[in-house]
Structure formats: structure tokens, C-alpha cells
Amino acid sequence: MHYFIGIDSSTTATKALLIDEQGAVIAVAAAEYDFATPRPLWSEQDPDLWWNGAVQSIRSVLAQSGVDPKSVGGIGLTGQMHGLVLLDEAGKVLRPAILWNDQRTGAQCDEIRRRLGKARLVEITGNDALTGFTAPKILWVQQNEPEVWQRARHILLPKDYVRYKLTDGFACDVADGAGMLLFDLKARTWSPEMLAALEIPEAMLPTTHEGPAITGYLSQAAAHATGLPIGLPVMAGGGDQAAGAVGVGAVRSGIISLALGTSGVVFATTDGPFVEPEGRLHAFCHSVPGRWHFMGVMLSAAGSLRWHRDTFAPGVGFDDLLAPAADVPAGSDGLLYLPYLTGERTPYPDPLARGAFVGLTVRHTLPHLSRAVLEGVAFGLRDSFELIKTAGNVQVEQVRVSGGGAKSPLWRQILADVFNAELVTVNTTEGAAYGAALLAGVGGGAWPDVDAACRRTIHVTGSTAPNADQQALYDEAYMRYRALYPALAPIFHQTPA
């Protein structure tokens, strides 16, 4: 029996997960930490938090499981995307990592568009320049910390710093690499044109690999730290969204992943390097060799429901809050909710977008507002679905939903009706860490490829079919919802933050 470890270095914790050759989860452990906001709009983190968290969680899963470390067949890595880690010649961290949620680089995004032209930028990388991506962060350091940039010799993403500590090597998977805004999406590696435009030597960047590929082997120092054997293979893995899609089996066109957490992510596998011409969708490589994906991001999905509960019904459980909303008719008697509580990413990359209830009357009650929140989030997520279907010629067969919001039967039904697609839950609940472990298993020979790994380990546990009668009502309500942002955007942009 062989076992495989997935390591997920997220913004708030590093998790280690141990699975067997059948994909059963044997043990899970996590080490929590925080990030720093030293100035407004800044978000930074000490990279050694990820490494120390990895060591702690690996040792914990080995102790929990009692598994012989020599029976572990490989490690797969995943983690928060887009963060910038800079190392000097000796491999020492030069400054705290600048994270995905850092917003300081607006001017640098504008400059990247000027240097490349927006159309060419999207054509090469699949994406517009956004503050979350890595390339604008690099430009910011060049311009604001030239002494740091002069000493920098290696550029890494967060999970790849953990890889460096494990293997002493510099490597990256194509899914995470594509999120740096430095990739040639079609070629699945670094773009010479992007690197030249931003004056970044390719020698500073890690080598690129497909998700299941072996990128290095456990060093003596890392073996001593973790309790794992020297020479254990470390696979490429994937950025958290691509690895999370592997973790729920969204690895072929038509199977959509919907992660309904604080934010909402719609993830669609594509068979080619398609782009949305305006850059309203993220277009990245997948962790599955030879495949790509589109991704739409809503910033306040289940976060909208939490805000609604905390504001209008503090202390009430979500089940009790939503039970009366099931008796409100579809469309909430004309009430609409715009879910842009913290700005938005897809389809409107607008940090000044704001939330709104529209159409309130005296007959509307708390259950109406509750249902309107669920419907408004569903409409906002449908925006991503509509873009994906058009840009990638994707036929939506099934939506695999995960995250805290997926626990609500009412919300699942609303989503199925709004999308006009079957909504299913699956047996796997560990997300990106599980996907990373599967990629390690493929690289270690437990399964011949990623498709086979997902078929053998991931199974549907529940299904919600769309209601044809409700769908017609929601199509009409969605058209009214679509008119809200264009009508309100001028007001948002004139309102003090």
C-alpha cells in the first residue's frame, strides 16, 4: 500500500492531507497563521509561515495515521495563487510575500496595459492586468524598492517556496504559473514578450511543469524536518483553484466546479486555450495536462448571506433564517439584490461596485430579503456561466458545488433553476489539498492519469435538478438583474468609499 500527501498553503493555514491508493482520506492536519496589513491596501505574509506550517502538519498526519513514512509515494503541492516571493542568490527571503489580496498595484496594472496594449495582453496571457496578479507586484517592487529588486535572483509563488524548502529546487506548475500574468497561455510556459516588456530575466523564474510531473526530491534537511524519507518525489501540483477542481472531479469540459464560499468561483475546464476578449474571465492552464480553464470570481457569495444574517438577524442560525424564505415565491415578489458588497471581479472588475436591494415595498419581509440574497448571488454567478458558454463554447452538463453555501437545499435549488443545469454534491470535501494528493498519486503511479484518478475516487452523493417552471421566472428576473450594475455604476463611482 502506498500513500500520498497533498499540502495546501493557503492565506490562513497550511494543511496536509494523507490519502491511500483508493483515494480514501487517512488523516488531515493544519497549522493556522495570519497575514499582515502594514499599510492600507497592503497584504503581506512571511513565507516561513507556510514552510513551518507544512512541517507541522506533515508530522501531525504521520502521527495521527501511524503510517510508515517509507510507504508514502509522493507529495503534491497547492496553495494561494498570485503571491510574490523574492529570494536572493543564497535563497534567502528578501521581503515579506505580497499576497493575492494586496491592492497596491493599480498604477502598475495601468502601466502593463500601456506597455502591451490590453488586447495584446489578453491575447498572450488570457487575462487583463488586475491588482491580484503577480506581474504588477513585480513592477511595483522594481519601481518602489529598487534595492530589493537589485538583490533578487529568484521569483516564486507561495506553494513553490514550500517546494524549494522541500527539494532545494525552483519549479512551478503551469496552472499556478499562468496566474502570474507572465505566461504564454497557448505555449503553457513563460512568454518572452511579457518578460521583455516588464524587464524580467527568465533566469529568475522557476522551470514549468504539468500538474502530475515530478519536480524534485526531498532533501536531507527537509526529510529531517518532516519525518519523511530522503528522495521522496515532489510533484508539481497546482494553484488552489485548479487543484480544487481536480479535488471535485471537474477535469473535463461540461463538468463545472462551483465553489460557494465567502467568495464564489465558477471553474470550467476547456480543451483549448480560449480567452474572453475583454478579459472579464480568468483564462489559465489546468493542472490536467493538455487542458485549460476559465474562471469567474464573485467576491461576496456566501459572504453576502453572512452579512445579511449578521445585519438583520444576528445570532440566528442559517437554517432558521432560510426556512421561511422557502415559502417566498421565485423572484422574491420583484425584489432584487446586487451582491457587490466588497467590489467585484467578474464580470465587472470594479473595486467601487457596491451592493443594493432594489424594488423594496412595504409587503417585503425578512424572508423576502433572505431569498433575494440567495437569488442575487445566483444571478451574479450566472454572469460567469454566460461568459464561459460564449467564450469557450462550453456546454454545461453538470455543476459540482462545494463550500459552505452548498449546505443549503434551498440555495442549491435556486442555483440549479437559475443555471438550468443539474447541481450535484460529491464525496470529497477537502478541496485543493485533495486535488494535490491525487496529482501526487498520478505522478507516483497509483493512477494512469488525472481522469482515471478522479473517476476512481470521486462520486456524486446528491443531485438537484432544475425546475422548468421556476427557470422561466428566473430568466425574466435575471434580465432585470443585468440592468442594475450599468444603471447604478455612475452612482457608485460618485459615492465616497
Side-chain angles (χ1 to χ4, degrees):
M1 175 69 75
H2 281 98
Y3 300 86
F4 299 94
I5 292 175
I7 299 174
D8 180 6
S9 299
S10 76
T11 317
T12 56
T14 289
K15 176 196 293 185
L17 176 145
L18 182 73
I19 65 171
D20 65 18
E21 289 177 333
Q22 283 71 49
V25 176
I26 306 303
V28 182
E32 296 182 353
Y33 40 71
D34 206 348
F35 60 90
T37 53
R39 297 187 186 179
L41 303 181
W42 288 28
S43 180
E44 299 185 342
Q45 204 160 46
D46 176 1
D48 281 323
L49 292 173
W50 313 324
W51 170 238
N52 294 334
V55 169
Q56 181 180 332
S57 54
I58 289 170
R59 284 195 167 274
S60 183
V61 294
L62 291 175
Q64 285 178 43
S65 65
V67 163
D68 182 351
K70 294 179 180 178
S71 66
V72 176
I75 297 173
L77 299 177
T78 186
Q80 54 177 299
M81 298 177 66
H82 314 308
L84 174 62
V85 182
L86 293 172
L87 307 183
D88 66 11
E89 185 71 35
K92 301 298 183 183
V93 174
L94 286 170
R95 69 171 328 282
I98 306 177
L99 301 188
W100 63 274
N101 54 351
D102 189 284
Q103 299 292 319
R104 77 184 73 176
T105 60
Q108 287 71 34
C109 289
D110 291 339
E111 183 165 344
I112 290 172
R113 292 188 195 98
R114 285 196 299 270
R115 293 189 189 186
L116 275 297
K118 180 178 174 180
R120 181 59 179 157
L121 176 64
V122 174
E123 182 183 3
I124 297 170
T125 69
N127 299 276
D128 189 10
L130 299 178
T131 53
F133 290 157
T134 319
K137 297 177 174 63
I138 296 172
L139 204 58
W140 185 91
V141 173
Q142 290 176 351
Q143 296 171 349
N144 292 274
E145 298 179 349
E147 71 288 352
V148 172
W149 181 248
Q150 288 171 6
R151 295 171 57 202
R153 295 295 179 271
H154 302 283
I155 297 170
L156 293 176
L157 291 161
K159 76 173 192 327
D160 299 318
Y161 178 74
V162 175
R163 185 191 318 279
Y164 163 66
K165 298 291 284 187
L166 289 169
T167 68
D168 292 330
F170 303 104
C172 176
D173 73 282
V174 297
D176 215 359
M180 294 179 73
L181 204 68
L182 297 174
F183 245 47
D184 181 323
L185 187 68
K186 299 180 181 67
R188 299 174 76 87
T189 193
W190 310 115
S191 162
E193 186 173 346
M194 289 298 302
L195 299 185
L198 302 185
E199 302 178 10
I200 300 171
E202 187 171 352
M204 295 181 70
L205 294 164
T207 57
T208 58
H209 306 264
E210 297 292 341
I214 296 174
T215 59
Y217 300 88
L218 208 65
S219 68
Q220 182 174 357
H224 177 75
T226 62
L228 291 167
I230 298 172
L232 181 68
V234 178
M235 285 63 169
D240 56 1
Q241 297 301 326
V246 172
V248 297
V251 294
R252 68 171 180 84
S253 182
I255 304 297
I256 310 298
S257 168
L258 170 58
L260 197 58
T262 299
S263 61
V265 176
V266 180
F267 182 109
T269 301
T270 62
D271 294 323
F274 304 116
V275 302
E276 199 284 314
E278 297 299 317
R280 292 175 292 180
L281 290 169
H282 301 327
F284 300 142
C285 302
H286 205 320
S287 292
V288 185
R291 293 178 197 160
W292 290 259
H293 71 85
F294 275 132
M295 191 168 75
V297 180
M298 165 185 276
L299 297 183
S300 297
S304 282
L305 182 60
R306 176 173 291 278
W307 165 82
H308 171 69
R309 191 275 306 272
D310 292 348
T311 302
F312 296 108
V316 176
F318 288 111
D319 289 344
D320 292 335
L321 176 68
L322 295 182
D327 296 326
V328 174
S332 301
D333 286 331
L335 182 62
L336 293 171
Y337 169 71
L338 199 63
Y340 305 150
L341 297 180
T342 55
E344 193 51 301
R345 290 270 289 275
T346 308
Y348 309 111
D350 183 358
L352 299 179
R354 293 294 179 259
F357 283 105
V358 177
L360 276 168
T361 70
V362 292
R363 74 179 184 276
H364 288 123
T365 61
L366 179 61
H368 285 89
L369 271 68
S370 299
R371 186 173 186 115
V373 168
L374 303 185
E375 292 174 343
V377 170
F379 293 148
L381 293 168
R382 179 170 167 175
D383 283 340
S384 291
F385 276 82
E386 297 299 326
L387 287 172
I388 286 167
K389 287 189 286 188
T390 302
N393 194 28
V394 174
Q395 301 299 314
V396 179
E397 301 171 20
Q398 183 187 83
V399 180
R400 298 194 170 188
V401 62
S402 60
K407 297 176 182 178
S408 166
L410 174 60
W411 212 351
R412 294 199 303 270
Q413 185 64 62
I414 289 170
L415 290 163
D417 296 343
V418 169
F419 302 155
N420 189 27
E422 180 191 24
L423 209 73
V424 305
T425 54
V426 296
N427 60 308
T428 54
T429 60
E430 295 293 345
Y434 189 79
L438 291 184
L439 291 167
V442 173
W447 303 285
D449 53 42
V450 180
D451 295 84
C454 292
R455 282 196 306 271
R456 295 178 190 178
T457 61
I458 300 169
H459 314 290
V460 171
T461 57
S463 174
T464 305
N467 181 314
D469 294 335
Q470 305 284 64
Q471 181 210 337
L473 292 169
Y474 280 133
D475 282 346
E476 186 276 330
Y478 176 64
M479 291 301 103
R480 291 188 289 114
Y481 170 90
R482 289 281 296 161
L484 293 182
Y485 176 79
L488 295 174
I491 299 172
F492 297 153
H493 289 202
Q494 294 171 10
T495 304

